Amino acid sequence: MIVKKPPMGWNTWNTFGEKINEQIVKESTDAFVELGLKDYGYEYIVIDDCWSERTRDAVTDRIVADHIKFPNGMKAVGDYIHSKGLKFGMYSCTGVRTCADYPGSFDHEYLDAETFAEWGVDFLKYDNCYKPKTADCQLLYHRMGIALENCGRDILYSACNWGTEDVWTWIRSTGAHMYRSTGDIFDSFQSYKDIAMSQVNKFGYSAENCYNDIDMLTVGMNGSGNVGRGGCTDAEYRQQFVLWCMYCAPLMLGCDIRSISAESKALVTNRELIAIDQDEANRPPIWQHHPWNENLKVAFKHLANGEYAIAFYNFSDNDAGIPAMFELFGIPSNSGYKLALTDVFTGEKIGEFKDYINVKVATHDVKLYKAKLVK
């Protein structure tokens, strides 16, 4: 199975945590369709931890769905999601137990992969809790990779070891299509900023068929739900989404899409932003830091069509001008070239600039431009 672009979809964890059930999944699937998210590239509905019974079946040793939360079983849920033209994702773990203390897949990888295939699963998020100290992390992820490749169904493999053990240096060899490189996100400015900045120098390992996953988006949560921690402003959600898109990170929504605001919907369905995230060149940005204010940063990204994307991030607590010296992006004054900039959000052509620009950005906000090299 080849995954040519960063996966896009929705995951239950950020909003619902353990409070998931068949009705919520079906209602969210319906909302996904009503919002037209598939038309923008989103396609996976992923059920995270807490979906199963606390113990495996005593006779078959298989994981079974919680009979109260999912009375019709997981295949019925998958069939419903598929009937809407979407893809079905589920969750398991390398360990003896999952992070929420449900049965993990340790020593059951092939049986569980077979079970997931029988249920019509298209995506598996594979966590890393309750792993015996005697077990090798790399080997366990490789084991599930082999099991999924031989289960009789194409299943996107989403490894989730939180960035431990230098995962970016070896995870591609396990067959994983994406890999969590950070701890869990929470719905706050500090959380998404810390996560994004922790990966500044690590996205060089991310490429087609194995993408650096910096966790589900909190855009639109507004402080509610399982990982709600005060929430973010619309400007902060805009900054978060641009960070993810400039990285070409997987775009997995985490808000309650049944009640997403108009502002958040407009952001996550912005075709210009999504095109940057899904750009086939999949190149990480080059970073330029303010000479004395570490909270003012600029990212410069090569795009497949020969254009560039330039993002100005204000992580400070005040409105500020953010300078960019084109020399540090490989375009010195004596090159004879200028950059023609177009505001991605407004479509406004703001002019041609040589050597240097200073962009005013509101606190905790971002300005994003498409750029062309011109004489």
Side-chain angles (χ1 to χ4, degrees):
M1 179 181 180
I2 305 297
V3 180
K4 292 187 174 294
K5 294 181 179 180
M8 299 171 62
W10 175 80
N11 180 293
T12 61
W13 183 257
N14 282 4
T15 293
F16 298 106
E18 66 178 0
K19 298 175 182 178
I20 51 170
N21 57 49
E22 183 174 319
Q23 180 180 351
I24 286 173
V25 174
K26 286 185 174 181
E27 288 177 357
S28 299
T29 301
D30 292 343
F32 198 104
V33 173
E34 290 166 8
L35 291 167
L37 292 176
K38 185 179 179 182
D39 294 338
Y40 298 91
Y42 298 93
E43 58 180 341
Y44 292 100
I45 299 286
V46 181
I47 300 172
D48 211 288
D49 204 353
C50 309
W51 60 267
S52 75
E53 294 284 358
R54 291 286 182 176
T55 59
R56 289 176 174 268
D57 184 270
V59 176
T60 65
D61 206 25
R62 290 180 181 255
I63 295 180
V64 292
D66 184 299
H67 289 85
I68 296 175
K69 293 178 179 178
F70 297 96
N72 295 301
M74 301 315 293
K75 187 178 187 307
V77 175
D79 288 346
Y80 187 83
I81 292 170
H82 290 148
S83 75
K84 302 295 183 176
L86 303 173
K87 295 182 179 180
F88 173 38
M90 290 200 66
Y91 168 100
S92 191
C93 189
T94 63
V96 176
R97 307 291 288 181
T98 72
C99 298
D101 198 24
Y102 292 80
S105 289
F106 183 77
D107 272 356
H108 293 79
E109 292 86 357
Y110 287 82
L111 177 62
D112 289 353
E114 178 184 308
T115 300
F116 295 144
E118 290 175 357
W119 290 346
V121 170
D122 304 296
F123 179 115
L124 178 67
K125 176 181 173 182
Y126 202 49
D127 221 330
N128 197 38
C129 290
Y130 291 99
K131 179 188 67 183
K133 290 184 178 180
T134 55
D136 178 81
C137 180
Q138 184 173 349
L139 177 60
L140 292 182
Y141 277 102
H142 186 70
R143 191 187 295 175
M144 180 55 85
I146 294 288
L148 292 174
E149 288 170 351
N150 291 275
C151 70
R153 183 176 180 83
D154 282 343
I155 298 179
L156 190 149
Y157 184 19
S158 174
C160 179
N161 94 324
W162 331 305
T164 64
E165 303 178 70
D166 295 332
V167 62
W168 45 88
T169 65
W170 53 262
I171 192 64
R172 182 176 291 272
S173 68
T174 69
H177 300 106
M178 53 190 276
Y179 59 97
R180 265 280 296 285
S181 56
T182 71
D184 286 0
I185 197 169
F186 295 95
D187 188 20
S188 74
F189 163 74
Q190 197 64 49
S191 177
Y192 79 71
K193 177 200 169 186
D194 289 348
I195 281 175
M197 292 301 97
S198 76
Q199 297 303 298
V200 163
N201 296 318
K202 295 185 175 68
F203 263 86
Y205 290 93
S206 182
E208 180 180 304
N209 215 35
C210 194
Y211 302 94
N212 188 339
D213 171 20
I214 51 177
D215 209 359
M216 289 87 72
L217 293 152
T218 64
V219 173
M221 290 190 65
N222 299 312
S224 64
N226 184 48
V227 303
R229 296 293 188 278
C232 296
T233 65
D234 286 338
E236 289 166 346
Y237 286 139
R238 182 164 51 247
Q239 191 180 73
Q240 179 187 157
F241 198 69
V242 170
L243 282 163
W244 265 238
C245 289
M246 286 290 285
Y247 275 145
C248 287
L251 299 179
M252 303 299 293
L253 305 177
C255 68
D256 187 344
I257 55 175
R258 300 173 304 174
S259 56
I260 190 171
S261 69
E263 292 81 6
S264 290
K265 180 193 173 185
L267 178 61
V268 301
T269 58
N270 184 309
R271 292 190 186 277
E272 290 289 330
L273 294 178
I274 292 171
I276 291 171
D277 179 83
Q278 301 283 291
D279 187 72
E280 62 183 10
N282 192 39
R283 299 201 184 272
I286 301 164
W287 287 87
Q288 185 174 150
H289 307 282
H290 191 281
W292 59 83
N293 189 336
E294 64 180 10
N295 287 312
L296 305 178
K297 302 179 187 295
V298 185
F300 181 98
K301 181 182 181 68
H302 294 246
L303 300 175
N305 64 357
E307 296 182 354
Y308 307 93
I310 310 178
F312 293 76
Y313 300 103
N314 183 356
F315 297 119
S316 79
D317 293 331
N318 300 288
D319 297 353
I322 305 178
M325 293 174 279
F326 298 168
E327 156 76 21
L328 298 181
F329 294 138
I331 312 168
S333 180
N334 64 10
S335 69
Y337 284 96
K338 301 176 184 178
L339 285 177
L341 302 183
T342 302
D343 189 304
V344 170
F345 286 99
T346 67
E348 178 187 2
K349 297 182 184 299
I350 69 165
E352 298 178 359
F353 300 85
K354 182 179 181 181
D355 188 42
Y356 173 86
I357 189 173
N358 189 298
V359 176
K360 295 187 182 302
V361 183
T363 178
H364 294 192
D365 207 343
V366 62
K367 289 287 184 71
L368 178 63
Y369 303 100
K370 283 282 193 68
K372 291 182 179 180
L373 215 59
V374 295
K375 284 283 191 179

